[in-house]
Amino acid sequence: MPGLGTLINAITIVVGGILGLLFGKLIKERVRVGIVSAMGVAVIFIGMDGTIEKFIENYGPSSVNKSIMLVVCLGLGTLIGELADFDGLISRFGEWLKKNTKSTSDGGFTAGFLTSSVTVCVGAMAIVGAIEDGIHGNISVLLIKSLIDFITIMIMTASMGKGCIFSAIPVLILQGGTTLLSGFVAPYLTDAALSNLSLVGSALIFCVGVTLIWKDKLKVANMLPAIVFAVAWAYLPF
């Protein structure tokens, strides 16, 4: 059934979030702050690992092209994102969720939703897994992602609150939409395009880690259009 992988992914996020919420109630505020910082360090290294891996894969003249691509895509993507204010849009949706789930007393709800949503939606696994699900009915990539997201959201919810649980919503929208459009999207995701997507996605994951440690330093949601430019870069004649 097309979309099964995304459905499983969303369910594991919710379950992981609920477990994290129950566990988080047993943790003191001081400890939760420390866990968020530790998560930030871990996410930074995950992002660095993915970024460096893609540079090493193409070491030589092509790595210069990768460097230029990263700079241009992040710059243009952030420009578009800032003009459209994706961070503000997602934050307002988070505030709407906060109000309609009777979570107005949870001061960190929106920040938790925003940060966790970017964390589980950025990366090549979300796109590649959704396309594999739609075209071949292969959910193996999304099953691996589900396990990773389960652990990630459980820890994030324990430290940042129940807003993280609702990151299942953008996962359903992004991955579900990609699965539905997989026949159209797949021809454009060449090996070069996927490599660029993975590189820029890893850089954005690094930025998520920075945000977890140094609050409000980066609006990562406003940098998301960089992924689209990364795919488009693969079709430039150089």
Side-chain angles (χ1 to χ4, degrees):
M1 181 185 76
L4 177 61
T6 293
L7 181 60
I8 292 172
N9 196 175
I11 291 172
T12 57
I13 287 174
V14 172
V15 173
I18 292 172
L19 291 175
L21 190 63
L22 295 173
F23 177 65
K25 291 179 179 179
L26 304 175
I27 303 175
K28 294 181 179 179
E29 177 65 24
R30 176 180 57 83
V31 179
R32 286 202 296 269
V33 171
I35 293 174
V36 171
S37 297
M39 280 290 295
V41 172
V43 172
I44 283 175
F45 275 98
I46 291 171
M48 286 175 59
D49 179 66
T51 305
I52 294 171
E53 178 186 359
K54 288 303 172 185
F55 276 117
I56 293 176
E57 271 183 13
N58 302 277
Y59 186 74
S62 61
S63 65
V64 176
N65 181 44
K66 290 286 185 181
S67 299
I68 296 172
M69 182 274 294
L70 183 62
V71 171
V72 173
C73 290
L74 286 177
L76 289 176
T78 303
L79 173 63
I80 298 299
E82 287 289 344
L83 291 174
D85 192 20
F86 290 128
D87 184 273
L89 289 173
I90 298 175
S91 293
R92 285 191 288 276
F93 180 60
E95 287 293 328
W96 181 85
L97 285 173
K98 179 179 176 180
K99 178 181 178 181
N100 286 273
T101 56
K102 304 188 188 315
S103 304
T104 51
S105 61
D106 186 350
F109 184 99
T110 303
F113 169 71
L114 179 61
T115 304
S116 60
S117 294
V118 174
T119 302
V120 295
C121 287
V122 169
M125 289 184 79
I127 304 300
V128 174
I131 290 175
E132 281 289 307
D133 186 2
I135 294 179
H136 304 295
N138 178 11
I139 64 173
S140 58
V141 174
L142 290 182
L143 287 179
I144 296 171
K145 180 178 181 292
S146 296
L147 178 60
I148 296 171
D149 290 350
F150 172 80
I151 297 170
T152 301
I153 295 301
M154 182 169 62
I155 297 173
M156 291 185 78
T157 306
S159 54
M160 300 179 71
K162 66 179 178 182
C164 301
I165 299 174
F166 294 91
S167 59
I169 296 174
V171 164
L172 282 171
I173 294 172
L174 173 66
Q175 292 177 193
T178 302
T179 295
L180 290 174
L181 297 172
S182 56
F184 173 77
V185 175
Y188 297 98
L189 287 180
T190 61
D191 289 343
L194 283 173
S195 179
N196 290 352
L197 188 155
S198 182
L199 173 57
V200 173
S202 294
L204 293 179
I205 290 172
F206 174 91
C207 293
V208 171
V210 170
T211 302
L212 285 171
I213 298 175
W214 296 284
K215 309 295 183 186
D216 302 323
K217 292 298 182 183
L218 294 171
K219 293 182 178 180
V220 184
N222 284 347
M223 303 168 73
L224 291 177
I227 293 176
V228 177
F229 285 106
V231 173
W233 188 276
Y235 292 92
L236 296 179
F238 52 72

